[in-house]
Amino acid sequence: MLDNDYGTLQNLTVTILIEDYSGYDEGLLAQHGISFLLEAETVKGSKTILFDAGQLAEPILHNMKMLGKDPATIDLVVLSHCHSDHTGGLVGLLEAIGRKRVPVIAHPSICRTNFVLKPAFKSFGMGPASSAALIENAGGEMILVAEPLALAPGIVTTGEITDKIDFEANPTLSMFTLEKGKMVADFMPDDLSLVLVLDEGLVIITGCSHAGVISIIETAVRMTGVERVAAVIGGFHLIDADDARIEATVKKLADYDIGRIYTGHCTGLKAEARLQQVFGKKFKKTHTGITIKF
Ligand SMILES: [Fe+2]
Ligand SMILES: [Fe+2]
């Protein structure tokens, strides 16, 4: 077995439990944030993963009920990064899962302070509502790892994205953290994605892609040795990117023979419009309740 042989999944269903858009007249709720449910069939049995936890549990639990998804089936949780629109619902969702020692996989720096100064100071990090103590009290077991972590045959996290393509060296959003009381730029080292290896290619699930969606895809391809990208699903955080960065990103995405792109959340309407123009039917704007099958 090669070091980079992560195995292959039999099949995968991705359900968007919450997103910034609700879709139309379906009775499903929206919130600024992301939470996806991944139901995978592996050679070692089924695996159900909660990827991100939105900012509030209640609307996610409402949507799960309407979508016929039972929180008790969730085997483990993966957090893409510290921002509260991806982590705020975690404690409530762990309570709904209702078990002890539910693995919560994230980067070691996820609990750090993270904030913006423009247009005004705002704390973006996990904060007291998702403290390590509350997570553990609710049944979570924090597994904090910067390296890629294989979760099951065909399922692996990217870990920290250390190799970045030139135009993605800095996050599009200017953020800060604290080191011994001093403010320093926060390059979002905790931004990680999930890679699922299927016969039809890679399915890459991102939170906000603060590490840069192209750098994430290149990392996933390099890690697995699989060049075909079946789909990228998640936020691309181009909402505050300039035109040059949007164009460079769209051009690079077009270089990959990506089967499907599902994005929304922090991608921004401008970048979404360009993706729609370039990818046509391969592009789909995400909203709550979408089910994507592989
Ligand atoms: Fe976000
Ligand atoms: Fe974010």
Side-chain angles (χ1 to χ4, degrees), residues 81 83 208 210:
H81 65 297
H83 287 164
C208 284
H210 291 297

Side-chain angles (χ1 to χ4, degrees), residues 155-196:
I155 310 176
V156 60
T157 71
T158 59
E160 182 174 338
I161 305 295
T162 49
D163 274 325
K164 295 200 186 165
I165 191 163
D166 49 5
F167 66 87
E168 291 181 342
N170 296 317
T172 54
L173 180 65
S174 178
M175 285 166 287
F176 296 87
T177 188
L178 296 173
E179 277 175 15
K180 294 183 184 159
K182 286 215 156 52
M183 287 195 296
V184 293
D186 190 331
F187 293 98
M188 298 299 294
D190 55 327
D191 190 78
L192 56 80
S193 298
L194 199 53
V195 183
L196 301 112

Side-chain angles (χ1 to χ4, degrees), residues 32-34 81 83 85-86 207-208 210 237 265-266:
H32 174 63
I34 272 183
H81 65 297
H83 287 164
D85 56 322
H86 298 253
C208 284
H210 291 297
H237 210 101
H265 183 48
C266 53

Side-chain angles (χ1 to χ4, degrees), residues 259-262 275-284:
R260 302 184 243 173
I261 294 177
Y262 290 85
L275 289 165
Q276 169 85 74
Q277 283 170 347
V278 172
F279 286 90
K281 284 192 175 138
K282 289 181 175 179
F283 167 82
K284 189 145 175 63

